[in-house]
Amino acid sequence: DIQRPDLGLDISGTCKQSDLFAKVVACLAPSDDDDDDFDDVALEAVHFVCAFSHDESNVLTLVTLGVVPALYELLRRKKDDDAFVLAIVDCFAKLFAFDVSRSEVLENNKISMILSQHLKTCLTPQNTLCKQTGPFPSIPRHLYLKIKQSL
């Protein structure tokens, strides 16, 4: 990132060594009591996964830890919460950049189906939130247009 100086820190390595990725993936799993605290932690966990999904090594670690089914289950449970839906679908869009995660997402028909449903919802004229922010900021425009044409 051009805004931050390169301090020579290996943040991803530190996260792997301290099992932080495993702890974050565990935070995506619903608790027995689905309360506001769970929602706050789970949404932050989604943002964390999204932020660290820029590197293939990180994505491989996250996929191995079960992030794809965990994100799917969270999306299924929080389908009526716009903040969760947009964050999770954007996270899936970032995961699509890598073969290991793309193949896992596409091999699961349930995940592909729910993602296409949310993409269609975001493309409806009534969805003003997606009109303002764009449906999936991390998908390159040419891929977004290709997906939109195929629906």
Side-chain angles (χ1 to χ4, degrees):
D1 185 3
I2 200 162
Q3 304 287 326
R4 297 181 216 148
D6 181 14
L7 301 175
L9 300 174
D10 181 15
I11 304 296
S12 296
T14 303
C15 289
K16 289 175 189 171
Q17 288 175 353
S18 65
D19 287 330
L20 186 58
F21 286 141
K23 293 171 185 164
V24 168
V25 171
C27 289
L28 298 172
S31 63
D32 291 334
D33 5 297
D34 234 3
D35 58 4
D36 288 338
D37 291 337
F38 167 76
D39 285 357
D40 293 342
V41 171
L43 189 56
E44 288 301 320
V46 172
H47 290 300
F48 180 92
V49 169
C50 205
F52 278 87
S53 293
H54 65 280
D55 178 73
E56 189 167 12
S57 173
N58 292 345
V59 170
L60 180 60
T61 301
L62 289 166
V63 167
T64 303
L65 292 169
V67 76
V68 172
L71 285 171
Y72 163 72
E73 185 59 30
L74 188 60
L75 180 60
R76 194 182 65 72
R77 291 176 57 104
K78 298 293 183 183
K79 64 182 178 240
D80 297 326
D81 187 323
D82 286 344
F84 272 100
V85 170
L86 289 174
I88 294 170
V89 175
D90 187 45
C91 194
F92 273 119
K94 285 191 176 194
L95 292 172
F96 260 72
F98 302 98
D99 290 335
V100 64
S101 50
R102 184 183 321 114
S103 62
E104 182 159 341
V105 170
L106 294 176
E107 286 173 6
N108 187 320
N109 291 338
K110 291 179 183 178
I111 296 174
S112 299
M113 183 67 84
I114 199 167
L115 286 175
S116 67
Q117 287 172 348
H118 286 294
L119 180 59
K120 286 179 184 178
T121 302
C122 273
L123 296 175
T124 60
Q126 297 84 7
N127 196 322
T128 56
L129 179 60
C130 284
K131 276 198 267 184
Q132 292 168 1
T133 63
F136 313 109
S138 62
I139 294 181
R141 181 136 180 88
H142 72 281
L143 276 176
Y144 164 72
L145 292 173
K146 191 174 187 177
I147 293 168
K148 183 177 175 181
Q149 288 172 349
S150 70
L151 296 177

